[in-house]
Amino acid sequence: MSETLYQLTVRKGPKVGEKFLLETISLTVGRDPVSDIILNDPEVSRQHARFTQTDAGYQVQDLGSTNGTFVNGQRLESDPVDLQPGFTISMGSGVTLLYDVVPTGDALDATIVDQSSLDEMSGMDNLDEAMDAAVPDLPLFDDEPEVPADWEPDPSPPFTPPPPPSPGPAAPHLVATPEQDEADRQKRRNTIIAVTAVILLLCCCGFLAFMWFRGGDLLLEALGLI
């Protein structure tokens, strides 16, 4: 297999500008969460296309997608197609990927060490000398700071926060006893009986007054005595 690294860059669709490194023998692209490259676009099928590594790079194959896979504008059939750096792969009309070689210039610049530094370090006898040369001398500090001769401790006592206020006595929690409940019920019954008795007494007084003034004559007339 080729040692050249390849990548896919999203030019259109979700995750524009994101790069996907092709570093496995085979990987799938689709909306399915189990896909190696997930592209959540309505034009992309759940299992849309497969990229397979070859001796010359990678090839792409459509997996029976609904909206098709296109390489440089040409729709793929069932057979895989070899890719060349700079080819564009479209999935439907919503996603476009650029197939290209991973640039190695920046990576090499980050890993190359100055040759002059290596030559200088190779002439040293041990690792300590190499570390001393690589790390600049730093100022050393005494274990204890220097105290002025005229310094005196502050005579004022340290600040002590006041104690928190103590909570007051809790209000007694009154609970009604069975005796009190029974007394309340008896009081209500007596009140009802008294009110009923007063109402009956008033009714009787009214009836007697009516009979005294008018009812007697009406009763006698009804009995045929008058």
Side-chain angles (χ1 to χ4, degrees), residues 131-140:
M131 293 300 295
D132 293 340
V135 179
D137 294 335
L138 299 176
L140 300 179

Side-chain angles (χ1 to χ4, degrees), residues 103-187:
T104 56
D106 296 339
L108 291 176
D109 292 340
T111 56
I112 292 177
V113 181
D114 187 6
Q115 185 64 35
S116 60
S117 299
L118 291 176
D119 295 340
E120 183 179 354
M121 295 176 64
S122 62
M124 299 180 182
D125 296 334
N126 51 45
L127 181 61
D128 293 337
E129 294 181 1
M131 293 300 295
D132 293 340
V135 179
D137 294 335
L138 299 176
L140 300 179
F141 296 94
D142 296 333
D143 295 337
E144 297 181 359
E146 183 179 355
V147 180
D150 57 349
W151 179 84
E152 293 181 359
D154 189 359
S156 60
F159 172 76
T160 303
S166 59
H173 184 63
L174 301 179
V175 179
T177 61
E179 293 79 5
Q180 292 176 344
D181 291 340
E182 183 61 28
D184 293 338
R185 287 194 293 270
Q186 184 63 33
K187 185 182 297 184

